[in-house]
Amino acid sequence: MAIGIEWGILMVTVNSRFTAKYNHVVYAVSSIIMTMLFLGILKSFPHIEFYINVTYLSLVSGYSLYSFCEILVEKNKAQILEAESVEMLRQVELQLSQSFNEVSYLKDKLNLLDQKLEKAEVKVSEYEQENQALSQQVRFLEAENAEQRRKASRKKTLFFEPLKTGT
């Protein structure tokens, strides 16, 4: 029985992350009392010693079973949590992969739009140069037109001038 209880204490200690923090203290005190009882401290009172041993071992056995159940329940919770965490991780990785694909697609689209913008800027520059050339031609033609109008108006005034006769 002592070996079984010591084995139980070892199992609870090894799995301490799944049990309450005070379990170690309870099992340490229990181990001390158990050792004292097995060494026969109460040998002078055999009936009392028997009842104390039986009661104590019953309490320790019950508490050990409770601790083992606690360990099993907590380990099961940890496994479920780990499985859920792995599933969440897979979903996050999938979303991350989709996001990377989307970012890659958007980068490619942005590069294409940048190329189109550069081509448009080159065309705008060409159109501005052509516009300046055409503006110069328009100014030249307007000046020429103004000159021709001035000459035509002068001819008109000369043509319609009254003839002076010397009478």
Side-chain angles (χ1 to χ4, degrees), residues 96-108:
L96 185 63
S97 174
Q98 290 172 347
S99 296
F100 280 140
N101 290 340
E102 187 176 344
V103 165
S104 176
Y105 169 75
L106 291 174
K107 280 183 179 179
D108 291 342

Side-chain angles (χ1 to χ4, degrees), residues 112-125:
L112 182 63
L113 291 174
D114 282 343
Q115 291 172 357
K116 286 182 179 181
L117 179 63
E118 288 175 6
K119 288 178 183 177
E121 287 174 346
V122 167
K123 285 187 177 185
V124 165
S125 176

Side-chain angles (χ1 to χ4, degrees), residues 15-150:
N15 293 295
S16 63
R17 67 182 179 154
F18 299 112
T19 61
K21 293 181 179 180
Y22 60 84
N23 271 353
H24 304 95
V25 175
V26 170
Y27 277 116
V29 171
S30 297
S31 180
I32 291 169
I33 293 172
M34 190 174 358
T35 304
M36 288 172 29
L37 289 174
F38 285 127
L39 290 176
I41 291 178
L42 299 174
K43 288 286 183 192
S44 56
F45 307 104
H47 295 297
I48 296 174
E49 180 184 10
F50 174 75
Y51 291 121
I52 289 176
N53 280 337
V54 170
T55 305
Y56 180 73
L57 291 176
S58 297
L59 291 173
V60 170
S61 296
Y63 191 73
S64 295
L65 289 174
Y66 169 75
S67 295
F68 285 143
C69 290
E70 184 180 29
I71 289 170
L72 292 175
V73 167
E74 292 300 319
K75 276 191 172 185
N76 190 26
K77 284 181 185 177
Q79 288 175 346
I80 291 171
L81 183 63
E82 183 180 350
E84 290 174 353
S85 298
V86 167
E87 183 60 32
M88 285 178 58
L89 181 63
R90 285 184 187 147
Q91 290 176 358
V92 168
E93 286 175 344
L94 179 63
Q95 289 175 350
L96 185 63
S97 174
Q98 290 172 347
S99 296
F100 280 140
N101 290 340
E102 187 176 344
V103 165
S104 176
Y105 169 75
L106 291 174
K107 280 183 179 179
D108 291 342
K109 191 173 181 180
L110 181 63
N111 288 336
L112 182 63
L113 291 174
D114 282 343
Q115 291 172 357
K116 286 182 179 181
L117 179 63
E118 288 175 6
K119 288 178 183 177
E121 287 174 346
V122 167
K123 285 187 177 185
V124 165
S125 176
E126 290 173 0
Y127 290 149
E128 284 177 350
Q129 290 174 357
E130 287 179 20
N131 189 17
Q132 287 176 357
L134 289 174
S135 296
Q136 287 176 355
Q137 285 180 354
V138 166
R139 283 193 296 270
F140 175 74
L141 290 174
E142 285 176 349
E144 191 176 296
N145 189 18
E147 181 66 28
Q148 286 178 358
R149 281 186 184 170
R150 188 180 59 80

Side-chain angles (χ1 to χ4, degrees), residues 144-160:
E144 191 176 296
N145 189 18
E147 181 66 28
Q148 286 178 358
R149 281 186 184 170
R150 188 180 59 80
K151 284 181 182 178
S153 68
R154 206 168 139 196
K155 284 181 185 178
K156 185 178 177 182
T157 57
L158 289 176
F159 181 73
F160 288 110

